[in-house]
Amino acid sequence: MAKIKIATDWLAGCAGCHMSFLDIDERIVQLLDAVEFTSSPVTDLKHPPKEGVDIGILEGAISNTHNVEVAKQMRERARFLIAVGDCATFGGVVAMRNLCGTDAALRRAYLETESVCGGVIPDSQELGKPLEMVTGVDSVVKVDLFIPGCPPRADAFFYALSELLAGRTPVVLPPELFLYD
C-alpha cells in the first residue's frame, strides 16, 4: 500500500503549530509507517510536489500576497487541506493588526518602536505585499478541516491524522483535545 503523502507549510505566524506537531514525539515514528512527508518549512523541500499530496497542512494567517500564493499552491496540490492553529483558523494574534490598520502597524513596527534607529519599512519583490486585512486561510482557499488552538495540542494533530489514515474525516475533534495550559 502506498504511503499517504503529507506536505506542510506556514504563513504569517510564529511556527508554534509546527513545533506542537513535532511534540507528537515518538508517535511520529508510528506515522512514518503510513505517511511520507514530502515538504515542509523545516526540511530542504519547501513546496508540495507538483504531482500533489494527499494531505496539506497550513499554519499561520493570510497576511500578505505571498501567503495567498502559498495557500493557493497548497490547495491546488493537496487533496485534503487542514488549517491548524488560531492564525490559520481565523487570523489569530496576527489579525490584531486589523485593529489599527496595515500602514499604522508597519510604521509602529519599523519606524516608531523605541528600539528602532533609522528604521525602514521593508519593501522588496521577494517579500509579499501586506494585505489590508489579516484573515484565516479559508478566506482564500477551501479548507477541509480546522484544528484551532494556539498552538493546537500535539494530541489533536495525531488524532486528526490517525482518523484520516483510517479513512475517516474528523469533522469536529473531541473536546478533550481542546484543553489549553
Side-chain angles (χ1 to χ4, degrees):
M1 182 173 168
K3 290 186 174 185
I4 301 294
K5 293 182 178 180
I6 298 177
T8 73
D9 212 332
W10 57 42
L11 307 168
C14 68
C17 296
H18 271 76
M19 298 304 110
S20 182
F21 179 68
L22 293 175
D23 282 343
I24 289 176
D25 295 330
E26 69 276 2
R27 292 176 293 178
I28 258 183
V29 175
Q30 180 184 341
L31 285 176
L32 290 176
D33 288 337
V35 306
E36 172 190 351
F37 290 96
T38 63
S39 58
S40 85
V42 295
T43 61
D44 288 340
L45 300 174
K46 306 295 184 198
H47 305 285
K50 290 180 180 174
E51 63 269 18
V53 295
D54 299 293
I55 300 171
I57 298 173
L58 287 175
E59 76 160 271
I62 301 293
S63 173
N64 62 41
T65 55
H66 178 68
N67 300 149
V68 173
E69 293 169 14
V70 170
K72 287 183 176 179
Q73 181 182 65
M74 182 66 82
R75 178 70 270 185
E76 290 170 6
R77 297 181 180 181
R79 188 175 52 80
F80 191 88
L81 182 62
I82 303 173
V84 297
D86 288 350
C87 296
T89 301
F90 54 82
V93 72
V94 183
M96 289 178 64
R97 185 181 86 193
N98 296 343
L99 299 174
C100 65
T102 299
D103 290 340
L106 290 172
R107 273 194 321 275
R108 179 69 181 139
Y110 292 103
L111 302 176
E112 300 168 357
T113 298
E114 290 72 12
S115 61
V116 171
C117 295
V120 175
I121 295 175
D123 184 22
S124 166
Q125 290 183 345
E126 294 179 9
L127 301 172
K129 296 288 182 197
L131 301 175
E132 284 304 312
M133 293 291 292
V134 176
T135 64
V137 173
D138 67 331
S139 70
V140 294
V141 296
K142 177 183 178 284
V143 173
D144 300 303
L145 177 66
F146 294 92
I147 303 176
C150 185
R153 296 176 61 128
D155 291 341
F157 278 101
F158 187 74
Y159 174 81
L161 291 176
S162 296
E163 286 295 294
L164 290 169
L165 291 174
R168 296 182 294 267
T169 301
V171 177
V172 177
L173 301 182
E176 63 269 18
L177 297 179
F178 291 108
L179 299 175
Y180 302 103
D181 296 333

